[in-house]
Amino acid sequence: MKILLCFGTRPEAIKMAPLYHKLKENNFEVIVSVTAQHREMLDQVLDFFDIKPDYDLDLMQPNQTLNNLSALILSKMDKVLLEVNPDLVFVHGDTTTSSMVALAAFHRGIKVAHVEAGLRTYNKHSPFPEEINRQLTGRLADIHFTPTNEATSNLVKEGISQSTIIQTGNTVIDALFWTISKIEKQNYIHPEIEELKNIIPSNKKIILVTGHRRENFGTGMNNLCEALLEVSKREDVVIVYPVHLNPNVKDVVNQLLSDKKNILLINPVSYPAFVWLMQKSFLIVSDSGGIQEEAPSLGKPVLVTRNTSERPEGVMEGFSKLVGTDKEKIINVIQELLENFNGFENKSNPYGNGNASKNIISFLQNLN
Ligand code: UDP
């Protein structure tokens, strides 16, 4: 079976990497096409997971609109689809790359498999544009690999045939475990991790921060920064913030938080360095989806700076808390955790156990 894997952003690459390697191990013919909707952050991941794309559409442009990006993906992917003529196209999650590649494949009558299918907020404006990207991709896909019960039941409620839904867990946990086993090897030295060890004080509680959602651009980002400034007055904490490269994030964060005591602003770090940072952190503040999924495996609480989450399992089981972007709320929840959090009692991660890509392969092998 000839399989075309398509992705474009850092999180998609992290989550497709374990599948790429499992497909290769099991002798599937695998072709990789990246849109490079992110550039530097994508390349960091390709490098670490040793993936060399067969097609690199290199579509990222400064100040690109979503319509322009969508049109480019449709036209460039059409050529790739014609040339490769795959049996199955794999897309992931909820990006413009996922929905537009799925649409291009549909137009060409090529079957689409959707990894991390079934996540929903059912609010088309939040997250924007991801909710519509994932719903569109869900309508276009022929096979749906879901991470959780909740995701499966969303698709069933939408009338998707149960025989096309395969619950596998999330491949991000496969990527996380693989990375931990690599960085914990005795003689493994990663220059970025060594550098972080040098610049982060070892006697303080690390608050790790990330953020990139469009819905938080503007007031939300401002409130978050002001809350962090307040928390940074405590002498027992250091805030470590790898700042997303999107100018809507970078400019505000640099303006409000550079050169402040107990706050360390750094560029986005490679995946192994970020996993190391998560392991060392006391708590995480983030609007990221992947981090909500990874953190439970590491026993780290996450304050989610959003009002809704398409990952309700972590919230229901107490791993994460939805705090929105209200300054006082963020401060209070951080203070409360700093004083009282003693770890989660051996609860298992609702998002997966590290076998998601193996489960996807088993399904494909039965198709043959
Ligand atoms: N991540 C990373 N380097 C960083 C920050 C995050 O490798 O500096 C990883 C993180 O572990 C997670 C993924 O990137 O797997 C999350 O990406 P992002 O927050 O951009 O997207 P989302 O998960 O919200 O789709």
Side-chain angles (χ1 to χ4, degrees):
M1 186 189 279
K2 193 197 272 188
I3 290 185
L4 178 63
L5 292 185
C6 299
F7 47 90
T9 64
R10 169 178 68 191
E12 289 171 290
I14 293 169
K15 290 170 164 181
M16 287 293 230
L19 181 59
Y20 168 82
H21 286 292
K22 269 275 178 294
L23 285 166
K24 288 250 172 191
E25 265 168 45
N26 286 278
N27 299 320
F28 284 86
E29 187 181 352
V30 191
I31 291 120
V32 174
S33 174
V34 296
T35 60
Q37 192 183 327
H38 288 164
R39 185 73 270 175
E40 296 97 310
M41 295 194 299
L42 172 73
D43 291 343
Q44 281 182 329
V45 181
L46 294 175
D47 208 37
F48 177 67
F49 286 102
D50 197 19
I51 300 175
K52 290 177 188 63
D54 301 279
Y55 294 88
D56 188 336
L57 307 184
D58 199 19
L59 297 183
M60 189 179 183
Q61 290 168 3
N63 304 319
Q64 195 165 34
T65 66
L66 290 173
N67 285 334
N68 179 247
L69 175 64
S70 302
L72 282 173
I73 296 173
L74 278 175
S75 72
K76 301 264 168 154
M77 273 311 296
D78 197 38
K79 296 196 184 87
V80 176
L81 291 168
L82 272 179
E83 202 169 301
V84 176
N85 193 23
D87 299 302
L88 191 58
V89 173
F90 268 77
V91 295
H92 183 279
D94 55 19
T95 65
T96 305
T97 295
S98 336
S99 59
M100 289 305 112
V101 170
L103 184 58
F106 169 73
H107 287 155
R108 286 283 170 195
I110 299 169
K111 284 201 162 39
V112 174
H114 187 200
V115 182
E116 199 181 84
L119 274 62
R120 297 286 186 269
T121 60
Y122 292 112
N123 172 355
K124 74 175 178 184
H125 300 293
S126 174
F128 173 89
E130 289 90 343
E131 176 67 12
I132 285 301
N133 283 335
R134 55 171 90 102
Q135 290 199 25
L136 263 177
T137 311
R139 299 317 299 178
L140 294 162
D142 302 280
I143 307 172
H144 312 259
F145 294 108
T146 56
T148 61
N149 290 334
E150 183 84 15
T152 301
S153 86
N154 287 338
L155 294 184
V156 172
K157 276 188 266 169
E158 290 173 20
I160 305 261
S161 159
Q162 298 219 18
S163 64
T164 65
I165 306 172
I166 303 93
Q167 193 169 314
T168 56
N170 198 309
T171 54
V172 79
I173 309 301
D174 309 15
L176 178 71
F177 289 170
W178 187 86
T179 303
I180 291 174
S181 74
K182 190 158 174 176
I183 62 180
E184 287 185 347
K185 284 213 172 83
Q186 230 175 15
N187 46 11
Y188 183 77
I189 301 212
H190 192 284
E192 244 179 302
I193 298 178
E194 296 309 305
E195 162 97 26
L196 290 169
K197 284 182 189 163
N198 285 332
I199 57 174
I200 300 173
S202 58
N203 58 346
K204 298 199 181 205
K205 289 178 175 164
I206 297 176
I207 299 178
L208 180 60
V209 182
T210 80
H212 68 91
R213 296 262 163 222
R214 274 168 197 259
E215 69 204 56
N216 286 344
F217 292 172
T219 319
M221 289 297 308
N222 273 293
N223 291 351
L224 168 65
C225 291
E226 283 174 16
L228 295 173
L229 213 47
E230 186 62 33
V231 174
S232 71
K233 292 181 184 155
R234 285 178 66 128
E235 282 306 328
D236 61 341
V237 302
V238 56
I239 293 168
V240 179
Y241 190 162
V243 185
H244 201 274
L245 298 177
N246 187 315
N248 290 294
V249 178
K250 210 167 74 171
D251 296 351
V252 179
V253 174
N254 283 337
Q255 195 195 334
L256 295 176
L257 299 182
S258 338
D259 300 321
K260 300 284 189 253
K261 197 171 166 211
N262 299 328
I263 300 185
L264 210 54
L265 300 184
I266 54 178
N267 281 327
V269 292
S270 66
Y271 190 57
F274 194 75
V275 169
W276 181 87
L277 273 174
M278 284 195 286
Q279 287 179 307
K280 296 290 167 207
S281 67
F282 185 84
L283 64 91
I284 304 173
V285 181
S286 179
D287 58 18
S288 156
I291 294 169
Q292 288 172 65
E293 293 155 348
E294 292 161 335
S297 289
L298 305 169
K300 308 296 172 180
V302 182
L303 271 71
V304 183
T305 49
R306 296 180 56 199
N307 297 317
T308 50
S309 176
E310 56 292 276
R311 293 165 174 88
E313 302 85 351
V315 179
M316 284 181 311
E317 296 193 25
F319 289 112
S320 41
K321 282 184 201 304
L322 288 177
V323 294
T325 50
D326 180 78
K327 178 181 161 190
E328 292 309 318
K329 180 142 193 204
I330 297 172
I331 297 171
N332 291 341
V333 179
I334 294 181
Q335 304 280 23
E336 146 75 19
L337 282 167
L338 286 170
E339 298 307 326
N340 299 321
F341 178 68
N342 290 314
F344 300 113
E345 275 169 27
N346 287 335
K347 285 201 282 186
S348 60
N349 186 338
Y351 300 109
N353 58 11
N355 285 326
S357 36
K358 193 167 137 229
N359 294 335
I360 294 174
I361 301 292
S362 305
F363 174 82
L364 295 178
Q365 284 169 331
N366 288 330
L367 279 182
N368 278 328

